[in-house]
Amino acid sequence: MISAPSSTWFSGPPHWGWLIVLYFFVGGLAGGSYFLAALIDLLGRPEDRPLARVGYYIAFPCILFSGLLLSLDLTRPLRFWHMLIESHTFRPMFKYWSPMSIGSWALVVFGVFSFISFLGALAEEGRITWSPLRTVRPPGVVATIVSVVGGIAGFYVASYTGVLLAVTNRPIWSDTHLLGMLFVISAASTSAALLMLLARRYGLALPALSGLRRLDDWMLMLELLVLIALVVSLGPAARGWLNAWGAFFAMVVVFGVIVPLILAFRARQRRELHVAAASVLVLLGGFLLRLVIVFSANSVRT
Amino acid sequence: MPEPMGFYTDTTVCIGCKACEVACKEWNQLPSTNGGVNTLSGDSYDNTRRLDGIHWRHVKFIEQFTEDRKDGRWLLMSDVCKHCVQAGCLEVCPTGAIIRTEFDTVVIQSDTCNGCRDCLAACPFGVIDINPASGTAQKCTLCYDRLRGGLEPACSKACPTKSIQFGTIRELRDRAQQRVEQLHQTGENRAYLYGADDKMLGGLNSFYLLVDKPEVYGLPPDPKMPSRNLVPSSMYAALGALLVGLAGVFSFRNRGASEDGEVRR
């Protein structure tokens, strides 16, 4: 190709595929569920805590699964620990300027906090009887610290993947600054959707649920704005989406964001089923959005 | 500490013999099976197709001919890792497998690499790929082992026309500049150097003499470091997190008033 819209067109694809798409989605759910649960713990009322516990029950298995997905995606999976420890010197490996390096550490930190909160939630329900675990549940200073630090780690895990894509030289990924922002907002909306579905499934009727619904509406509106801004910010590089992927992207925006928004507003009258349908669409849309972003750039090469 | 070493490739004298590709494969014990692909590419005489884990040299054949093929020219170029002074691959590598050597070259340590493939996406030139034999990311090492033994790299040693020249960067830049002036004097005014100064990624330790736009050779006109996006992208991500947090505060604080008619105390 003689003319390319951006110098990023001359790089090569990293062959990140289904495992990475799934990780972006599941990792987003882990981080998102945790920070929503932490927000509910910090701001909500005591009777909202069952909903927060659902968040922690999602976060920990999801982050464990994420670690598995990431390791399996390596062409040398047994060397996963090289991300954390330099294999010659056995010193800690840490590059603050490489999102994958900080991200690996963030997964460890977040894993620890999500495990603590997971156990705390079990203890609060009386399924584990080891009294120190009760201190990680509110009220209390320890609980606040766990929620704040774990919540920040959750935000990080949910957003760094977008920054990681940007800190490359691939078309589309590195032609916009908005992927990290998009991923954290999408993580919030998909996690809120999953929490609402599970709350419905277990028949939880809590004050925070209506808050969650409102939050999801806000997130979807914000996501729509960011998606529009993203396409604009691509500039000439948007040419990478002048193909079937672009059409797929548009469909994901319509069915994963706009339709759920319409359903959410119509839900004011006939709500339960609409909310459930909207939640399913949001989750599906969140997955497909990541799929389009990962695969569409992978297929571009001069 | 040795001086920075590298390649100067004068594309105007390349004859497309691929001796560099063969010498590279022989010395580095890379398979000649082309990854099992036994079809022709249909792209001129190029069946190597691209640089990857088992092709560390790639001779490009660019045919520039008029429709009736009465007039035209061949552009031939032996492509290789640029051993950038500011190397995107080295920058992002999360395991520390990619290092800068005492020769100012960039080398991937295969025993450390775990195959995350971040460097594949980070390289502005699309040089790196996974070698299926090792399962790790691989590329030209500028024959680090030969350099350590006082030899020159296999490809430049094998090049019959001195299209690929090996030496200290300082000496190569002088030589390349003289060649550009010589070409200009003979009327070839399109000749210029690509990556021979510090402006492009701090300098390419494998730089080129070209006679057409970089894009024609499949080279990016304006290669950049991956980290250019780190701060702005992180800022927007943080802004996103802040907005989510604020929405959380409003949603969970104000909740209830309209839904269950409860008045907040």
Side-chain angles (χ1 to χ4, degrees):
Chain A
M1 187 192 285
I2 291 193
S3 71
S6 159
S7 270
T8 57
W9 252 248
F10 299 87
S11 60
H15 323 298
W16 289 334
W18 288 98
L19 290 173
I20 294 302
V21 171
L22 196 57
Y23 161 63
F24 282 2
F25 180 66
V26 174
L29 281 180
S33 302
Y34 193 103
F35 66 62
L36 289 181
L39 283 170
I40 292 168
D41 267 346
L42 290 169
L43 306 166
R45 287 178 285 193
E47 54 267 41
D48 288 331
R49 275 182 218 149
L51 191 61
R53 290 203 293 270
V54 175
Y56 297 130
Y57 289 147
I58 298 170
F60 180 60
C62 279
I63 206 64
L64 270 190
F65 186 48
S66 296
L68 185 71
L69 287 171
L70 285 175
S71 297
L72 285 178
D73 185 69
L74 299 173
T75 46
R76 297 295 293 263
L78 291 177
R79 294 184 181 175
F80 70 92
W81 58 274
H82 289 198
M83 296 286 189
L84 305 171
I85 309 288
E86 211 287 326
S87 63
H88 293 118
T89 60
F90 296 102
R91 294 208 187 105
M93 187 65 220
F94 182 74
K95 288 176 160 180
Y96 65 85
W97 58 90
S98 168
M100 197 181 281
S101 181
I102 329 171
S104 305
W105 284 99
L107 286 177
V108 173
V109 172
F110 180 71
V112 169
F113 276 89
S114 59
F115 184 51
I116 292 172
S117 297
F118 181 78
L119 291 180
L122 285 175
E124 197 175 47
E125 287 191 343
R127 296 199 213 179
I128 300 179
T129 48
W130 189 50
S131 54
L133 280 176
R134 294 299 302 271
T135 59
V136 306
R137 300 293 302 141
V141 184
V142 179
T144 307
I145 292 171
V146 169
S147 293
V148 170
V149 181
I152 291 172
F155 273 119
Y156 191 85
V157 166
S159 63
Y160 90 93
T161 47
V163 180
L164 187 153
L165 291 181
V167 181
T168 63
N169 266 308
R170 287 304 288 154
I172 299 168
W173 300 348
S174 62
D175 290 315
T176 175
H177 292 143
L178 295 176
L179 286 178
M181 190 185 196
L182 175 68
F183 280 10
V184 73
I185 291 164
S186 166
S189 76
T190 50
S191 301
L194 185 60
L195 275 174
M196 286 191 289
L197 280 178
L198 288 177
R200 187 181 143 84
R201 171 82 177 69
Y202 294 109
L204 297 176
L206 303 164
L209 258 183
S210 57
L212 206 55
R213 200 169 296 158
R214 203 172 319 163
L215 179 96
D216 202 21
D217 296 348
W218 277 107
M219 287 304 106
L220 286 173
M221 281 187 269
L222 204 56
E223 196 174 338
L224 189 60
L225 289 178
V226 174
L227 282 165
I228 293 166
L230 190 150
V231 174
V232 173
S233 72
L234 283 175
R239 204 168 96 186
W241 272 345
L242 287 181
N243 49 31
W245 286 114
F248 194 9
F249 175 79
M251 272 174 57
V252 170
V253 174
V254 170
F255 290 101
V257 182
I258 295 173
V259 171
L261 260 179
I262 295 169
L263 284 175
F265 281 112
R266 294 191 55 187
R268 304 236 178 274
Q269 294 98 42
R270 296 171 290 162
R271 67 153 162 263
E272 282 310 322
L273 206 62
H274 277 174
V275 169
S279 299
V280 171
L281 281 178
V282 165
L283 281 164
L284 207 61
F287 177 76
L288 293 177
L289 179 68
R290 287 157 176 80
L291 187 143
V292 174
I293 288 168
V294 170
F295 278 93
S296 62
N298 258 345
S299 63
V300 180
R301 182 157 191 165
T302 49
Chain B
M1 189 82 182
E3 267 198 80
M5 309 297 275
F7 292 128
Y8 150 50
T9 305
D10 180 353
T11 62
T12 59
V13 293
C14 178
I15 54 171
C17 70
K18 303 191 195 177
C20 51
E21 286 193 24
V22 175
C24 175
K25 280 186 176 266
E26 284 197 25
W27 180 262
N28 294 299
Q29 300 185 328
L30 297 169
S32 57
T33 53
N34 206 13
V37 179
N38 59 5
T39 53
L40 299 177
S41 72
D43 177 17
S44 191
Y45 291 100
D46 180 11
N47 289 298
T48 307
R49 293 176 170 85
R50 64 183 48 143
L51 291 171
D52 60 29
I54 56 171
H55 300 103
W56 300 353
R57 272 271 172 199
H58 169 212
V59 179
K60 295 180 173 179
F61 295 77
I62 300 133
E63 298 180 25
Q64 293 185 328
F65 289 96
T66 54
E67 197 65 25
D68 57 5
R69 296 187 78 82
K70 279 186 178 156
D71 190 24
R73 61 174 179 173
W74 287 90
L75 299 180
L76 303 168
M77 173 194 154
S78 180
D79 197 11
V80 71
C81 169
K82 313 301 177 292
H83 296 277
C84 316
V85 171
Q86 290 165 19
C89 59
L90 189 155
E91 182 179 60
V92 300
C93 177
T95 63
I98 306 186
I99 55 162
R100 183 166 300 285
T101 71
E102 65 269 39
F103 306 107
D104 205 28
T105 56
V106 180
V107 169
I108 306 177
Q109 305 172 98
S110 229
D111 58 338
T112 302
C113 173
N114 62 10
C116 73
R117 312 193 294 289
D118 208 358
C119 56
L120 275 61
C123 172
F125 304 99
V127 164
I128 313 173
D129 212 330
I130 297 292
N131 181 339
S134 64
T136 59
Q138 293 197 354
K139 66 169 189 71
C140 164
T141 66
L142 214 126
C143 281
Y144 180 67
D145 47 354
R146 289 175 64 96
L147 260 54
R148 292 281 292 190
L151 300 169
E152 75 167 297
C155 54
S156 60
K157 180 89 179 166
C159 180
T161 63
K162 289 194 174 173
S163 171
I164 303 171
Q165 300 188 26
F166 167 76
T168 66
I169 294 300
R170 196 170 13 166
E171 189 198 338
L172 290 177
R173 282 182 180 176
D174 282 349
R175 211 183 294 168
Q177 200 51 53
Q178 284 172 24
R179 172 67 176 155
V180 169
E181 282 157 23
Q182 184 195 22
L183 284 168
H184 285 181
Q185 278 163 17
T186 57
E188 178 51 281
N189 290 315
R190 293 168 294 191
Y192 71 100
L193 297 178
Y194 178 85
D197 55 28
D198 303 344
K199 283 175 215 142
M200 187 176 285
L201 301 174
L204 306 185
N205 283 349
S206 172
F207 63 89
Y208 289 84
L209 189 155
L210 306 176
V211 289
D212 207 332
K213 285 186 294 183
E215 303 94 295
V216 174
Y217 295 89
L219 295 167
D222 181 26
K224 297 193 193 84
M225 290 295 272
S227 58
R228 72 187 181 280
N229 288 330
L230 180 62
V231 171
S233 288
S234 302
M235 289 296 185
Y236 277 111
L239 176 65
L242 193 71
L243 290 173
V244 173
L246 279 177
V249 171
F250 287 117
S251 301
F252 299 127
R253 276 260 160 103
N254 287 334
R255 77 204 172 334
S258 62
E259 298 281 338
D260 49 25
E262 194 185 290
V263 180
R264 285 182 57 84
R265 278 157 295 190

